[in-house]
Amino acid sequence: MSIRTRLLLIAGLIALSVYFLVPREITVRERDQQTGVMKDHVEKRVPLKLGLDLQGGMHLALELDQSKQVSADPKRDLDLALTVLRKRIDEFGVTEPLIQKVGDDRIVVELAGISEPARAKAIVQRSAFLEFRITDKTGALDKTIPAMDRTLRSLGIKGDTAAGKPSAVQQLLGGDTAKKAGKPDSAARDTTSVLNGVLSGLIQSTGGAPGGGVPGEYAVPETAFPRVDSLLSIPQVTRQLPRGLTLRWSAAPTSVGVQSVRMLYVLEDRPIVTGSNLEDAAAQLDPLTNGPIVTFQLDRAGGRKFGEETGRHVGDYMAILLDGRVQGRPPVIQSRISRNGQITLGNKSLQEAQDLALTLKAGALPIPLKIVEERQVGASLGSDSIRDGIKAGVVGTTLVILIMLGFYRMSGALAVAALALYILFTVGGLSMIEATLTLPGLAGIVLSVGIAVDANVLIFERIREELIHGKTVRLAVDEGFKHAMNAIIDSNVSTVLTALFLFQFGTGPVKGFAVTLIMGIAASMITAVFVTRTFFMIWLDRRPAMSTLSI
């Protein structure tokens, strides 16, 4: 390769490194999280992101929330939660997070430079347990409510709705059924007994609601939701419901006219399929309604089971539950559904749909987590330590330069010039792949500086040996680079293999160390073998009659 071609390649590498290191403002086109409309916004591109130890961030301490669900094996569930959290944080896009177990009951999560702490906390805590269940079409709750009310009366809990007067929900959804003409006396007596009950006055089937009702769907005024929920959680009341059925609330209240109601669903106790069969999930906008949806894909076994069950229930309504809450109104099954489906999120934003897809893909937490400690943390190194570290790096580099100049003279000066380009290429490469610089990352750069110097030392010592054996300067330089190459390649390849293992099996800071080490070794190979050789070629080309080498 000619000197001109070599210089052009080096100039190209310098220009590319400088390009990625210059801070600049860039225009990014992305979808608005609330409206879904594509918008352009300008953001400042920082050459290198700093890790938690250099700039600080958010610190969260989490424990299993056994007030919501008791764990039979807390140690195993904490390990599972740790795995799920690592997947979620990686998908969230945080670089170099610290996620580790502390003791036998706590997980510590530290996130560098988080700009949306509320969103990060929601992603960390969400359980994301997905289920699909068929709604009850037998009217089981209608038949059970009188028995439930009698149970409540036996426990001393009475309703305050006056006899014969329709409840607010009845007025809203269907009117006063007791006053309908032509109703038999026995039916009137049953209705009266229902109206006197606590639950009968607050729970109403949506069969008479505008737009038609869903089998197994009931409405409760939002103001009465906490009371009804607590009454339905009494074991004696729950036992009145026929075996094989269960009650679940909707995730959010619904507006009916001017009143806000919470939907209660009677569902089959056995889910068709759960999120454990989920293979992939993605958020997008529904082309028909322009609302956010989450599309999902089940694995082969889940798809086969889903197809069999939905094929058997064509015409029935299927509720989609997330963390035990029904998402939207259950859709009717039009035909057999196999591996692909979607979850409609109603009035939620696209951002929430993306977060849901992210948590579904990462898997469900075995037990809900609660935040027991939250605080902002500064750079773990501290400003004094960072300043001292920079000072140590400058002093160390200066000493290396002086030693190279003093020991190898002019040849050492060429190596120092190549070393300057090595630093530029390494930092430019890290900026190009958007790596995060942490303390272990800095250690990786410092280690690769030593490797770069070591490569030059190998070459120079080999050239000295060739000169001692009486060879000409040009031949000694050629032989020196040629014979030192094997040792340099062996050393660097073994180090890169070690770094690859660290990257594959390590986490957080260990990965950062591996990335900077690999990038540093690549830059070292380029500068020690290619750049330094080019400098020697230029030097010898300008002095063809040189008889001794300054080395």
Side-chain angles (χ1 to χ4, degrees):
M1 189 181 293
S2 67
I3 294 177
R4 185 172 181 274
T5 306
R6 283 173 170 266
L7 287 176
L8 285 175
L9 284 174
I10 294 171
L13 288 173
I14 293 173
L16 195 65
S17 300
V18 171
Y19 173 78
F20 282 105
L21 284 174
V22 175
R24 59 185 180 277
E25 292 183 341
I26 57 174
T27 302
V28 178
R29 169 163 289 196
E30 61 182 24
R31 198 177 297 279
D32 186 89
Q33 305 297 348
Q34 298 299 327
T35 63
V37 178
M38 297 298 289
K39 292 175 66 176
D40 291 340
H41 72 274
V42 178
E43 64 180 37
K44 190 169 185 179
R45 184 183 179 282
V46 181
L48 270 179
K49 299 173 187 171
L50 300 180
L52 189 71
D53 49 359
L54 297 178
Q55 69 166 335
M58 179 184 228
H59 172 98
L60 296 172
L62 303 135
E63 291 180 358
L64 298 178
D65 189 356
Q66 302 211 42
S67 65
K68 295 182 178 177
Q69 187 178 343
V70 178
S71 172
D73 188 349
K75 189 176 179 183
R76 181 186 66 87
D77 288 337
L78 201 68
D79 289 337
L80 287 174
L82 188 69
T83 304
V84 172
L85 283 181
R86 282 185 176 142
K87 287 184 185 175
R88 290 185 184 182
I89 297 298
D90 285 344
E91 292 283 340
F92 185 53
V94 177
T95 51
E96 306 292 349
L98 174 66
I99 306 168
Q100 62 184 14
K101 193 166 75 169
V102 178
D104 292 332
D105 60 349
R106 183 170 289 195
I107 295 174
V108 168
V109 177
E110 292 187 344
L111 310 171
I114 287 293
S115 59
E116 299 171 289
R119 185 184 168 211
K121 283 192 290 181
I123 287 175
V124 165
Q125 284 189 290
R126 177 176 280 175
S127 293
F129 186 67
L130 184 68
E131 300 170 280
F132 300 88
R133 296 174 188 253
I134 299 297
T135 64
D136 171 57
K137 55 185 179 184
T138 63
L141 188 60
D142 292 312
K143 301 169 187 169
T144 309
I145 282 180
M148 289 181 168
D149 278 336
R150 283 194 292 274
T151 302
L152 289 173
R153 275 199 297 274
S154 68
L155 296 173
I157 303 171
K158 296 179 181 178
D160 49 11
T161 304
K165 182 180 177 181
S167 68
V169 184
Q170 286 173 319
Q171 292 177 5
L172 183 67
L173 298 177
D176 182 6
T177 54
K179 292 181 180 179
K180 286 183 179 178
K183 182 162 286 203
D185 291 342
S186 59
R189 282 196 300 276
D190 288 346
T191 307
T192 301
S193 66
V194 168
L195 290 173
N196 286 329
V198 182
L199 297 177
S200 58
L202 297 172
I203 300 176
Q204 179 68 28
S205 172
T206 62
V214 174
E217 183 186 65
Y218 297 82
V220 173
E222 181 65 13
T223 52
F225 160 58
R227 187 184 183 201
V228 176
D229 185 40
S230 63
L231 293 176
L232 290 176
S233 63
I234 297 174
Q236 295 92 322
V237 175
T238 308
R239 278 199 292 269
Q240 301 300 324
L241 199 67
R243 185 167 295 181
L245 296 176
T246 188
L247 298 174
R248 290 289 184 271
W249 293 99
S250 63
T254 304
S255 294
V256 178
V258 295
Q259 190 167 352
S260 178
V261 296
R262 178 79 64 156
M263 295 301 181
L264 176 66
Y265 292 93
V266 185
L267 308 172
E268 290 187 359
D269 192 34
R270 184 180 61 87
I272 294 178
V273 70
T274 68
S276 60
N277 295 106
L278 198 73
E279 199 168 64
D280 193 18
Q284 57 183 275
L285 288 176
D286 189 333
L288 298 177
T289 64
N290 206 34
I293 58 173
V294 173
T295 57
F296 61 85
Q297 184 177 16
L298 300 172
D299 58 19
R300 194 177 297 279
R304 186 167 53 250
K305 186 178 177 185
F306 201 45
E308 291 172 0
E309 292 293 328
T310 52
R312 199 161 59 85
H313 286 283
V314 171
D316 293 341
Y317 289 79
M318 181 178 67
I320 302 170
L321 292 90
L322 186 68
D323 295 340
R325 300 283 184 175
V326 177
Q327 304 294 308
R329 298 196 80 183
V332 64
I333 301 174
Q334 303 287 354
S335 61
R336 176 190 171 98
I337 307 169
S338 56
R339 296 181 63 183
N340 298 300
Q342 70 176 46
I343 302 170
T344 305
L345 297 178
N347 296 326
K348 294 191 175 180
S349 67
L350 185 63
Q351 178 72 72
E352 291 173 289
Q354 290 171 339
D355 290 346
L356 174 59
L358 186 156
T359 48
L360 286 175
K361 275 199 296 185
L365 290 171
I367 299 286
L369 295 174
K370 62 180 178 182
I371 296 175
V372 294
E373 184 184 357
E374 175 193 348
R375 57 190 164 89
Q376 291 291 323
V377 294
S380 56
L381 287 179
S383 57
D384 290 345
S385 299
I386 294 173
R387 194 164 46 248
D388 290 345
I390 294 173
K391 193 185 298 179
V394 171
V395 171
T397 305
T398 305
L399 285 175
V400 168
I401 291 171
L402 291 176
I403 290 170
M404 291 297 287
L405 292 176
F407 205 70
Y408 295 108
R409 292 173 288 180
M410 188 59 194
S411 298
L414 298 181
V416 168
L419 196 63
L421 291 181
Y422 156 80
I423 298 291
L424 179 67
F425 293 162
T426 302
V427 181
L430 291 173
S431 177
M432 182 176 64
I433 62 173
E434 298 185 349
T436 299
L437 197 59
T438 61
L439 178 61
L442 286 172
I445 293 177
V446 171
L447 180 60
S448 59
V449 166
I451 293 172
V453 173
D454 182 57
N456 283 315
V457 170
L458 280 174
I459 294 169
F460 293 167
E461 290 299 325
R462 192 69 193 188
I463 292 174
R464 277 183 170 179
E465 287 181 11
E466 299 297 335
L467 289 172
I468 290 171
H469 288 119
K471 293 184 179 175
T472 62
V473 171
R474 186 175 294 274
L475 186 59
V477 169
D478 291 340
E479 292 292 321
F481 275 95
K482 180 180 175 183
H483 293 303
M485 188 64 68
N486 289 337
I488 294 171
I489 290 176
D490 289 347
S491 168
N492 287 345
V493 167
S494 59
T495 309
V496 167
L497 287 175
T498 306
L500 286 174
F501 276 102
L502 288 175
F503 182 81
Q504 179 64 32
F505 299 108
T507 58
V510 177
K511 281 193 172 186
F513 172 77
V515 168
T516 52
L517 186 58
I518 293 170
M519 190 62 69
I521 290 173
S524 163
M525 287 289 288
I526 293 172
T527 53
V529 176
F530 188 77
V531 177
T532 309
R533 179 70 184 272
T534 305
F535 290 167
F536 267 102
M537 289 173 70
I538 295 171
W539 187 20
L540 296 176
D541 191 62
R542 291 191 173 184
R543 296 186 177 183
M546 185 188 297
S547 58
T548 58
L549 188 65
S550 177
I551 190 169

